[in-house]
Amino acid sequence: MTATALVTTGNPAPKRRMKRRTGQTIIWMIGLTLLTIVVIYPLLWLFASTFKPNSEFGSNQGLIPNAPTLDNYVKVAEGIAGISMWTFFSNSLILAVSAVIGTVLSSALAAYAFARVKFKGLGILFTAMIGTLLLPFHVVIIPQYIWFQKLGFVDTFVPLILPKFLATEAFFVFLIVQFIRQIPRDMDEAARIDGAGHARIFWSIILPLVKPALITSAIFTFIWTWNDFMGPLLYLNSPENYPLPIALRLYNDQTSASDYGATVTASFVALIPVLLFFIVFQRFLIGGVATQGLKG
Amino acid sequence: MTTTLTKAVVTSDKDGKRSRATVPPLRPGLRKKGWRESLAGYAFLAPWLVGFFGLTVGPMAYSLYLSFTSYNLFSDPKWVGLGNYVRMFTDDPQFIQSAQITLVYVIVGTPIKLAAALAVAMLLNYRDKGAAFFRSAFYAPSLIGASVSVAIVWRAMFNTNGPVDSGLSVLGINVGGWVGNVDLVVPMMILLAVWQFGGTMVIFLAGLKQVPKELYEAAEMDGAGAIRRFKAVTVPMLSPVIFFNLLLELIGAFQVFASAYIISNGSGGPAGMTNFITLYLYKRGFADGQFGYAAAIAWIILIVVGVLAFVLFRTQKSWVHYAGEDR
């Protein structure tokens, strides 16, 4: 809104132009800073609230706790329903790390086939792969659940990890395909003349060159798996198998009225790894999203 | 979509042929080894193929079958023909309500989110100083928006006497909490979706960077004002990106689950107003054990999303401009 208002102002003398530009930049900065505060406020509020004693939640809605305390963290560290926080945390970690390994490996293999190998049915299968990008997950969760249930895998990590090794997330296959297409073909043609096969070209030439796309996929997979709620909700029954999001539900259900502080603090603790990943890798994440939307 | 996709594949094939043609000795060998090449392709594709047929195509076929049955996981599926579908539209007010609030959420929320994303992207594109910082700050919510943590925060923020409520009462507006309010809980969910505009914004921003500056300069020379330049340069140049974002956001919005579940403690309340279609499907299937009925709901969702996507693709000729086409 500021932009349009500023651009339409009249034609000042050239000398004033510099001043006007600086003025505009300042207004622009202030406007965006205010917007940033609005957008980030929920997260700031979450962080600040972890230091509030329970009694303060009804009265103090501001950012600064009146009587800051670490009690909430102590309570969260003790765990809930007789299970330590560390159990939930390590469950989340096992799921996320396996998902990263599986997704990156299987997506890179599929992407190489789509981008660099000529095989019968390439066009149809590629279209089908993109099609799964648009497919609502509703139609597959019921049969998947029934099958995993019949196979006796409910309440294990198998239904949550196995699909990751089968390149089911088309987003990453597509992302890596886009990346491989940017690599000049001369490199693998040359390797081919030297007698290298596809396995060799994939492993020694393509993989090292698409490292940024692999890192992007790995970070997204980690964060999405870490935050995933529906999968664990469907497949895991025993609290000792719960990852953090489902464990948060324990706080939310059982203690929402009485122990607000612990609920909020557990929520914040669950977000810490994601926020750290974001701060460290934001360039990869934003770059990945940006290239994904702009084909060709 | 089919048009753009096949186009992408075809261009890459062309490229491939061109570069292969520059290396003549390879050609005859490659042709003879066509079957080996295909074999290699399938070998690389093996995990994806297993996943595609085992976890996507197979389940789709099975859920289509289940949607014509009554099935509770413990006895064999019983064929009921169109019974589930008939029941949905004639004898299940909860489904009708669920479908209605989901459509409102999708149809109202998506354009607001896209407009916010585009507006902020244009603001960020206006100056470079500090833009990277703001871009990251705005992107953060997109990454965590669907998490349980954020749903818990959102519920706390919009609860009776929560920060939003107290903030509004300072301004003299007393709404008495959003979470339990039948009229305000859907707008609150839409706000949660709009708050995650950052991912969409990043894609818009990347698109804006590719619009040639000369076009704006030329338009300005011709005396076009800011609104005119937006309509005549930004929107057409950005239309493929708008199309892409619109499509993905529409489909994504249908799938809201964790936040609705957490905010209503799994109930879909108040008065069914957060009983979004995915939550309703979950309750019917996984809580009540009506898997046949849930499968039918899933197919209705698929059909609605499919029709929406089809309509979008059909209309794209009239408003989506791809570089290099006409002009």
Side-chain angles (χ1 to χ4, degrees), chain B residues 66-82:
Chain B
L66 280 181
S67 76
F68 299 113
T69 68
S70 166
Y71 182 49
N72 64 4
L73 208 60
F74 302 110
S75 49
D76 287 337
K78 203 176 80 207
W79 187 264
V80 294
L82 288 172

Side-chain angles (χ1 to χ4, degrees), chain A residues 204-215:
Chain A
S204 311
I205 297 178
I206 300 293
L207 268 195
L209 286 173
V210 294
K211 220 183 253 166
L214 302 183
I215 295 172

Side-chain angles (χ1 to χ4, degrees), chain A residues 7 24-25 28 39 61 118 120 136-138 143-144 150 189 192 198 249 252-253 267 278 282 292, chain B residues 26 30 37-38 42 55 59 71 123 126-127 129 136 149 155 161 195 229 244 255 261 265 278:
Chain A
V7 173
Q24 281 176 9
T25 306
W28 179 85
V39 168
Q61 299 300 342
K118 272 200 94 175
K120 277 210 176 95
F137 63 81
H138 310 84
Q144 281 185 9
K150 300 265 180 214
E189 299 287 5
R192 207 171 248 233
H198 277 300
R249 199 176 60 115
N252 203 35
D253 288 352
S267 305
F278 173 69
Q282 28 126 344
Q292 212 266 345
Chain B
L26 266 178
L30 267 183
E37 183 78 358
S38 272
Y42 286 113
L55 294 170
Y71 182 49
L123 267 182
Y126 183 61
R127 287 273 193 284
K129 235 179 255 173
S136 297
S149 302
R155 193 170 79 165
N161 297 323
W195 180 64
R229 286 199 301 270
F244 175 86
Q255 316 196 12
Y261 187 104
N265 263 343
T278 310

Side-chain angles (χ1 to χ4, degrees), chain B residues 5 15-16 32 83 104 108 143 148 177 183 197 226 232 234 236 254 270 287 299:
Chain B
L5 290 173
D15 287 345
K32 259 184 216 159
V104 167
V108 176
L143 212 53
V148 170
D183 298 321
F197 69 86
T234 310
F254 270 101
W299 272 89

